[in-house]
PDB file of all heavy atoms in Angstrom:
ATOM      1  N   PHE J 231     -35.676  19.175  15.739  1.00  0.00           N
ATOM      2  CA  PHE J 231     -36.615  19.920  14.922  1.00  0.00           C
ATOM      3  C   PHE J 231     -36.946  19.172  13.604  1.00  0.00           C
ATOM      4  O   PHE J 231     -36.122  18.425  13.166  1.00  0.00           O
ATOM      5  CB  PHE J 231     -35.968  21.281  14.539  1.00  0.00           C
ATOM      6  CG  PHE J 231     -35.843  22.233  15.711  1.00  0.00           C
ATOM      7  CD1 PHE J 231     -34.597  22.473  16.257  1.00  0.00           C
ATOM      8  CD2 PHE J 231     -36.941  22.878  16.281  1.00  0.00           C
ATOM      9  CE1 PHE J 231     -34.488  23.313  17.350  1.00  0.00           C
ATOM     10  CE2 PHE J 231     -36.847  23.677  17.321  1.00  0.00           C
ATOM     11  CZ  PHE J 231     -35.597  23.940  17.912  1.00  0.00           C
ATOM     12  N   MET J 310     -38.365  29.404   8.427  1.00  0.00           N
ATOM     13  CA  MET J 310     -38.312  28.127   9.171  1.00  0.00           C
ATOM     14  C   MET J 310     -37.029  28.121   9.998  1.00  0.00           C
ATOM     15  O   MET J 310     -36.936  27.664  11.191  1.00  0.00           O
ATOM     16  CB  MET J 310     -38.395  26.923   8.278  1.00  0.00           C
ATOM     17  CG  MET J 310     -39.725  26.766   7.557  1.00  0.00           C
ATOM     18  SD  MET J 310     -39.771  25.357   6.398  1.00  0.00           S
ATOM     19  CE  MET J 310     -40.004  24.032   7.603  1.00  0.00           C
ATOM     20  N   VAL J 311     -35.891  28.500   9.381  1.00  0.00           N
ATOM     21  CA  VAL J 311     -34.656  28.509  10.079  1.00  0.00           C
ATOM     22  C   VAL J 311     -34.656  29.550  11.170  1.00  0.00           C
ATOM     23  O   VAL J 311     -34.193  29.325  12.314  1.00  0.00           O
ATOM     24  CB  VAL J 311     -33.519  28.786   9.052  1.00  0.00           C
ATOM     25  CG1 VAL J 311     -32.124  28.840   9.775  1.00  0.00           C
ATOM     26  CG2 VAL J 311     -33.419  27.693   7.987  1.00  0.00           C
ATOM     27  N   ASP J 312     -35.243  30.718  10.911  1.00  0.00           N
ATOM     28  CA  ASP J 312     -35.354  31.736  11.869  1.00  0.00           C
ATOM     29  C   ASP J 312     -36.131  31.285  13.117  1.00  0.00           C
ATOM     30  O   ASP J 312     -35.736  31.499  14.276  1.00  0.00           O
ATOM     31  CB  ASP J 312     -36.134  32.947  11.192  1.00  0.00           C
ATOM     32  CG  ASP J 312     -36.159  34.186  12.074  1.00  0.00           C
ATOM     33  OD1 ASP J 312     -36.627  34.048  13.228  1.00  0.00           O
ATOM     34  OD2 ASP J 312     -35.914  35.224  11.568  1.00  0.00           O
ATOM     35  N   GLU J 313     -37.309  30.643  12.902  1.00  0.00           N
ATOM     36  CA  GLU J 313     -38.156  30.125  13.985  1.00  0.00           C
ATOM     37  C   GLU J 313     -37.391  29.003  14.765  1.00  0.00           C
ATOM     38  O   GLU J 313     -37.488  28.987  16.025  1.00  0.00           O
ATOM     39  CB  GLU J 313     -39.443  29.531  13.447  1.00  0.00           C
ATOM     40  CG  GLU J 313     -40.429  30.562  12.915  1.00  0.00           C
ATOM     41  CD  GLU J 313     -41.081  31.288  14.026  1.00  0.00           C
ATOM     42  OE1 GLU J 313     -42.066  30.779  14.625  1.00  0.00           O
ATOM     43  OE2 GLU J 313     -40.636  32.374  14.360  1.00  0.00           O
ATOM     44  N   MET J 314     -36.633  28.216  14.065  1.00  0.00           N
ATOM     45  CA  MET J 314     -35.819  27.206  14.805  1.00  0.00           C
ATOM     46  C   MET J 314     -34.871  27.840  15.723  1.00  0.00           C
ATOM     47  O   MET J 314     -34.635  27.392  16.880  1.00  0.00           O
ATOM     48  CB  MET J 314     -35.124  26.314  13.792  1.00  0.00           C
ATOM     49  CG  MET J 314     -34.261  25.194  14.379  1.00  0.00           C
ATOM     50  SD  MET J 314     -33.334  24.282  13.175  1.00  0.00           S
ATOM     51  CE  MET J 314     -32.275  25.545  12.474  1.00  0.00           C
ATOM     52  N   ASP J 315     -34.225  28.972  15.280  1.00  0.00           N
ATOM     53  CA  ASP J 315     -33.321  29.641  16.127  1.00  0.00           C
ATOM     54  C   ASP J 315     -34.038  30.274  17.300  1.00  0.00           C
ATOM     55  O   ASP J 315     -33.532  30.245  18.453  1.00  0.00           O
ATOM     56  CB  ASP J 315     -32.624  30.757  15.270  1.00  0.00           C
ATOM     57  CG  ASP J 315     -31.702  31.564  16.150  1.00  0.00           C
ATOM     58  OD1 ASP J 315     -30.568  31.150  16.338  1.00  0.00           O
ATOM     59  OD2 ASP J 315     -32.078  32.702  16.577  1.00  0.00           O
ATOM     60  N   VAL J 316     -35.199  30.859  17.106  1.00  0.00           N
ATOM     61  CA  VAL J 316     -35.962  31.558  18.136  1.00  0.00           C
ATOM     62  C   VAL J 316     -36.198  30.502  19.309  1.00  0.00           C
ATOM     63  O   VAL J 316     -36.022  30.803  20.443  1.00  0.00           O
ATOM     64  CB  VAL J 316     -37.255  32.050  17.592  1.00  0.00           C
ATOM     65  CG1 VAL J 316     -38.231  32.425  18.776  1.00  0.00           C
ATOM     66  CG2 VAL J 316     -37.021  33.247  16.769  1.00  0.00           C
ATOM     67  N   THR J 318     -34.801  27.485  19.835  1.00  0.00           N
ATOM     68  CA  THR J 318     -33.631  27.011  20.431  1.00  0.00           C
ATOM     69  C   THR J 318     -33.143  28.008  21.523  1.00  0.00           C
ATOM     70  O   THR J 318     -32.759  27.658  22.580  1.00  0.00           O
ATOM     71  CB  THR J 318     -32.447  26.844  19.437  1.00  0.00           C
ATOM     72  OG1 THR J 318     -32.866  25.862  18.416  1.00  0.00           O
ATOM     73  CG2 THR J 318     -31.199  26.354  20.074  1.00  0.00           C
TER      74      THR J 318
END
Side-chain angles (χ1 to χ4, degrees):
F231 292 107
M310 297 178 77
V311 176
D312 187 309
E313 288 286 279
M314 179 182 65
D315 178 80
V316 167
T318 300

